Every structure is written in C-alpha cells, then in structure tokens.
Amino acid sequence: MRALGEGPRTPVDEAPTGERRSSPTFRLPEPFEAFYEREYHAVVAYAYALCGSWWVAEDLAQEAFLSAHRRWDQVGVLERPGAWVRRAVTNLAASAVRRGFSEARAVLRLTSRREPPEPLPGDAVDFLRAVRSLPRRQAQAVALFYLEDLPSAQIAEVLGCSDATVRVHLHNGRRALAKRLGVREGPRP
Amino acid sequence: MTLDDSGRRAASVVRRAAERIGPVPDPAIARRRHCRRGFARNTLTLAVTVLAAALAWQGLPALTHPSRHISLRDLDSRVVAAIDVGERGRLDADNVTPLVAADAHGVWVLDSSNRTVLAIDPVRNLVAKRIGISMGSGWEPKGIWALGGAAWVLSVNQAGRAAMQRIDTASGKVSGTYRLPASSFRSPPDLVTLDGSLWLSSDSGTLRIDQRSAHTQALPDAGAGSARLAVADGRVWAAGALGTVDGIDPGSGTVVDRITDARNGLAISDVAGDGGSLWVLSQGGALRRLALPSGQVRASLPLGDDFGTNPIAVVVAGDILAAIGPKALYIVDAFGDQVRAEVRLSAPGSVAVGAGAIWVADPYHGVLLRIDPAQ
C-alpha cells in the first residue's frame, strides 16, 4: 500500500538532561517541485478515471497542483498533501462548468500537444466507463479504492466525508459495477 | 475473474498509461500559464463589474418608478400607475387587439407571445396572477374581452380553427373552451355578449355562440369584415366598413335595422353601446352619440386634429367613455356629451374601462397605464 505524500519525520527535541522531550509537532514542507514530480502521474491517472480524457485529466491535475502550489505553506505541512491535491481534482472534475473550460483549454492546446497515449485495452476501458457511470460519490470512492489502493479512512480524507460513508459508497459502487460488468463481486474490502 | 481482479488490472493499465503520456510538465511553465489565466480572469471580472455597474446606473431610474422603461414623470398627471406587464419591456401586439380588458370585476392583459393572461390587482396596481391559456402548438391568441363576469380569449390556429376560452373571474382559471367553426380573422375581431350568447365578429360575418349549449350560428349578413360590435337598446349592433351599422335581433339572429352614416360614407372605426345610445366613432375622429331606435344624432364631438392621429377605438362604461388613438387618449363624459380631457401618450395599444379607472396597454414599453378619469 502506498502512502500519500508523507512529509519529513517529526523532529524530537532532546532536553539538556538527556531526557527525550517531545516538542509541539511541526513539519517542514518538502519542496513543492519534489512533491509535484512524485505525485503528478498518479494524480493524472486518478483524474483520467473520473473524466475519461487524458487532455482534460492533465488540465485538471495541473490546476489542482497550481492551487496546491499557491497554498504550499499550508498544504505542504499537511500529513498527506497528496490527499489535498486529489480532493482538488475530485472537486474540479465534479464541476461540469469547470470541466467544460478544461476541455476547451485542452482542445485549444491540441496543436502543441504531445502524442496521445496508446489506447487502453478494452476490458480496462469497460471498467473505467462503468466506474464513471456510477453516481458521482460512488465513482470517486471506487476510483480511489482501485487506482490508489487506499483504505476507506484515507478515501474519506480525500472526499471529505466519514469513513462509514465511504464504506457505504464502496459497497454500493462495487455491487453496481459487478452487475454492470457481469463479474463476481469478490470479498468485501 | 472477480471485480477486484478487473479493478486492479484496470488501475495498473491506467497508471502505466499515465506515466507514458510524457514527462512531468515543467512547473514553471504551468505557473506562468496560471498567471496568464489569472490575469485574464481578473480582467474579465473587472470588465463584468464595470458593465454591471453601467447597466445598474442606467436602470437606476427604473428602480424608483413602477415601470422599468417608462417614468411617470414623463407622462400626463392623470396617469397614476404604470404596471410592468411585458417581458423584456414589451408586449407582443402583432395583429392582437385588444390587449387589455376590464369590467367592474377586474382587469386583464393578454400576453400573446407567452400565451398568458395577466390578472391585474386594481387596488395595488400590480400583476396578481398569470394564467396560462396555451391551446397547443400553432394556436395564437387574437384578443381578450371582459364580459359577464368573465374574461374571454379568442385563439386561432394555422388551420383556421378558432376557440374561445373563458377565464373565471373568481378563480382566475380557464373554466371552459368553446370550439368554433373555421373562421378567418385577418382584421381584429370584436366580441360582445347579450341574452346568454357571445357574438363574435369575423371576416365572414358575425358568429353567435350559445354559452349554455355551445351551439354556434353563423350570421354572414351581419357585419362582415370583422365588424365592430356593440350592445345597445336590446340589440347587437355590427358596424361595417361602409359606414353602416346593422342591428341584430338576438332572438332570431337576423338583421332588423340598419343605420347609415350620412357623412360621405366614411368608414366607422368603432362603436360602443351605452344603454339606449350608440356611440359611433368614424374615420377622421368624429364621435357621435346616436339615440336608439331612431338613430338620431344627439351629440357630435370631434376628437383629434390630425387625420393620422385621430382615435380609432372607443369603449364606454357608466359615465366614462374613452377613445384611443396612436398619440392620445380622449376622456369623454358620456352623460354630459363633453370631452373631459386629452391625455397624450407615446405608444398606446388598446384601452379598457373598468374597476374605477381607464386602462391603456402600451405594448412598446410593456406597461399597462392606469388613468384616473376624475382628475
């Protein structure tokens, strides 16, 4: 299980007498560029799972990272800044208006685009299409569950809801997916 | 294969594909793009703010007056209210007359483009209710009248079919529809009621509609050419274009009387019934009161001084007669046979008298003007 954007270890002060004394927790943010370099493709993959277009996914990811960069003094010291960025992507993808602007910008930049990625295998396309057909919150929870391999507690942190709510979304979403794809649901996560 | 197998495989494929779309974009480039976007967004926000302020400044006078588009200060002092009745500041008045109807029970305005009738509160001078009158695709409202405690709306469809809808005054709802034979209404029609029947003028004559049985009777010999109609002295009077007025017996439905205008055959613009008298408005603005059944002229009032601006429609209720033209409203004391006032208006459409006032629909500005006849 990969952890999201863990920051540097909390420093511990040593008292002159040799006793270890825990200081108030503070965290130095890692350089944004390092965080960005490490998380970029994973965030794009998550955005792609939500919107179905690589161009829009990159646009959404870049906008989310830029928002994080503007607030890096606050975001960078979070325990999981990656969760913050993924929540930003989740919100951007959910807004039809913002997505429309992203699509327009992506189209405008097509001429300067890099080569599009090769098409995905059919079963992966079917799976992602089925995910996107779910109700919004279920789709987000299921995408984070499979794409990011996150436990429900961390999914809850990204989506800004309770762990119990995420479990309900995952239960309903997986059941709907299994029915739609004609496969067995498998053991509960 | 289980769902989890499918999910893990799809996730693995997507992650590999994401890494193959290319190197991570230079964050500096992305920041510059964001700055440009932010600048554009701020510029757009500033432009929208300036535009909104300009519009608000321009529209500020409308906030202090009942009407969005017309100021009472610019109107005659007898105009006591201007009620917004049209969307986007106008009423669709193409080939629709009359637009306003009134009686002792209420005031109604026909908004033909939106297929609604607006019930006006004559106490608070505002739109109290919007009543849908749509009869479906292809049907167009042609006019509204207030008769017998109800409002009546005539609609015509492209195939020439016609229908009258009755709007109950008390409930403000459409309480009945009379389907009529195919009729042509190239000229604005007119409607009166007498002895339990509606009398509707059309291009081919007068149509009688029995309100109880809904039976219709065509009277081609009476008032052909969408004549103007009036009720006086127990008869329906249909004024034709040739300066003649036919008196129809309501029992038999036949023309039993005819009054000929001796004034060089001038066409009659409109007629209005007033108990035992018939007011006749001729082309050129001559308004005369004829005593019935003799037809003798008891009063003659020239209205207007310009052939192009003379009044063309007249209504009477009680002691108030109102004649409307393209530039002015004339208020006449119907008992004293005297012109009481001339009220200059910019774009009057149609006039009605009822609920203690004179009502003029101004389709150009989308307002209903209330005029106090007592001032």
Side-chain angles (χ1 to χ4, degrees):
Chain A
M1 180 192 306
R2 287 187 294 128
L4 291 175
E6 283 184 332
R9 299 166 71 96
T10 306
V12 176
D13 286 342
E14 278 198 328
T17 59
E19 292 175 1
R20 293 176 68 85
R21 182 178 68 209
S22 62
S23 65
T25 304
F26 72 94
R27 191 184 300 275
L28 287 173
E30 73 172 304
F32 173 81
E33 285 73 12
F35 166 78
Y36 173 69
E37 192 80 25
R38 187 178 66 250
E39 298 280 352
Y40 180 79
H41 286 124
V43 172
V44 170
Y46 172 57
Y48 174 79
L50 295 181
C51 67
S53 161
W54 288 111
W55 314 131
V56 175
E58 279 207 90
D59 202 79
L60 294 177
Q62 287 180 24
E63 188 156 343
F65 277 110
L66 281 166
S67 295
H69 178 261
R70 279 206 313 269
R71 303 170 179 81
W72 192 242
D73 56 338
Q74 299 158 19
V75 175
V77 298
L78 294 174
E79 188 172 351
R80 278 182 279 270
W84 192 98
V85 172
R86 282 160 179 78
R87 188 193 287 198
V89 167
T90 305
N91 293 338
L92 288 169
S95 165
V97 173
R98 300 290 286 271
R99 200 165 58 240
F101 279 121
S102 290
E103 287 173 359
R105 285 196 296 269
V107 168
L108 283 174
R109 293 202 302 270
L110 266 178
T111 52
S112 61
R113 256 284 146 233
R114 309 177 276 200
E115 289 299 317
E118 64 267 22
L120 298 178
D123 56 339
V125 170
D126 290 342
F127 182 85
L128 292 172
R129 192 174 293 144
V131 170
R132 284 193 293 276
S133 70
L134 295 172
R136 187 165 49 91
R137 272 317 212 192
Q138 289 181 20
Q140 292 163 356
V142 167
L144 287 166
F145 178 73
Y146 285 111
L147 226 66
E148 303 279 2
D149 203 15
L150 292 180
S152 58
Q154 289 191 25
I155 295 176
E157 187 181 341
V158 172
L159 298 184
C161 58
S162 68
D163 186 20
T165 302
V166 168
R167 288 176 183 273
V168 170
H169 287 324
L170 282 178
H171 171 72
N172 294 334
R174 291 178 74 248
R175 188 171 55 184
L177 273 180
K179 188 176 177 183
R180 215 159 290 187
L181 296 170
V183 298
R184 284 186 300 114
E185 195 174 329
R188 287 180 64 177
Chain B
M1 183 182 258
T2 66
L3 178 67
D4 288 341
D5 294 330
S6 301
R8 289 193 199 98
R9 173 169 152 74
S12 169
V13 164
V14 170
R15 282 198 292 268
R16 280 202 304 274
E19 287 165 4
R20 283 202 293 270
I21 61 173
V24 177
D26 186 345
I29 295 175
R31 275 200 296 273
R32 277 199 295 276
R33 189 183 303 149
H34 171 77
C35 286
R36 280 199 300 271
R37 195 182 302 167
F39 176 75
R41 194 183 305 133
N42 291 339
T43 305
L44 179 63
T45 303
L46 180 64
V48 168
T49 304
V50 169
L51 182 63
L55 288 173
W57 178 259
Q58 206 171 30
L60 195 59
L63 295 177
T64 61
H65 296 90
S67 163
R68 289 193 302 275
H69 306 280
I70 201 167
S71 167
L72 286 180
R73 281 200 300 261
D74 301 327
L75 299 173
D76 191 285
S77 60
R78 291 178 186 82
V79 179
V80 297
I83 304 166
D84 284 333
V85 292
E87 282 191 5
R88 296 185 295 278
R90 63 181 299 274
L91 268 179
D92 187 0
D94 292 340
N95 210 25
V96 177
T97 307
L99 291 169
V100 59
D103 64 7
H105 304 279
V107 183
W108 294 270
V109 174
L110 176 61
D111 183 352
S112 62
S113 60
N114 289 308
R115 308 292 192 269
T116 56
V117 167
L118 312 178
I120 306 296
D121 181 338
V123 175
R124 293 182 295 168
N125 293 325
L126 47 75
V127 177
K129 190 173 184 180
R130 294 177 186 272
I131 305 159
I133 55 162
S134 174
M135 292 191 59
S137 175
W139 286 86
E140 299 279 342
K142 295 291 286 184
I144 186 167
W145 298 264
L147 301 166
W152 298 88
V153 177
L154 172 69
S155 295
V156 180
N157 76 357
Q158 293 157 347
R161 306 291 298 183
M164 292 293 306
Q165 288 175 288
R166 181 184 188 279
I167 299 174
D168 181 67
T169 304
S171 64
K173 294 181 180 175
V174 176
S175 59
T177 302
Y178 294 99
R179 299 280 175 171
L180 307 177
S183 309
S184 170
F185 299 96
R186 280 194 300 272
S187 300
D190 206 357
L191 183 75
V192 296
T193 181
L194 180 64
D195 288 354
S197 291
L198 295 174
W199 305 77
L200 175 69
S201 66
S202 70
D203 292 344
S204 55
T206 301
L207 194 66
R208 176 182 184 171
I209 307 151
D210 187 301
Q211 293 189 57
R212 205 175 319 164
S213 65
H215 174 70
T216 58
Q217 177 190 7
L219 308 171
D221 296 329
S226 287
R228 313 315 300 159
L229 300 178
V231 170
D233 195 35
R235 287 181 183 163
V236 174
W237 298 88
L242 298 177
T244 58
V245 186
D246 294 334
I248 306 170
D249 173 60
S252 61
T254 55
V255 176
V256 296
D257 200 354
R258 172 165 287 179
I259 299 173
T260 303
D261 185 355
R263 293 172 61 87
N264 302 319
L266 281 175
I268 295 175
S269 299
D270 204 2
V271 289
D274 183 14
S277 298
L278 186 69
W279 290 90
V280 179
L281 180 65
S282 297
Q283 206 177 28
L287 177 67
R288 286 164 296 144
R289 182 170 68 83
L290 310 182
L292 297 174
S294 64
Q296 285 188 341
V297 177
R298 296 294 191 201
S300 182
L301 306 170
L303 300 180
D305 51 12
D306 181 349
F307 209 81
T309 61
N310 294 136
I312 55 173
V314 63
V315 292
V316 64
D319 62 343
I320 300 297
L321 180 144
I324 195 104
K327 294 291 185 187
L329 166 76
Y330 300 88
I331 303 176
V332 174
D333 178 354
F335 285 169
D337 296 334
Q338 288 184 342
V339 178
R340 192 180 289 178
E342 177 183 330
V343 181
R344 287 281 166 176
L345 299 170
S346 60
S350 59
V351 64
V353 178
I358 300 172
W359 307 87
V360 174
D362 180 341
Y364 178 75
H365 294 102
V367 295
L368 177 70
L369 303 177
R370 178 188 176 125
I371 293 109
D372 183 358
Q375 284 198 356

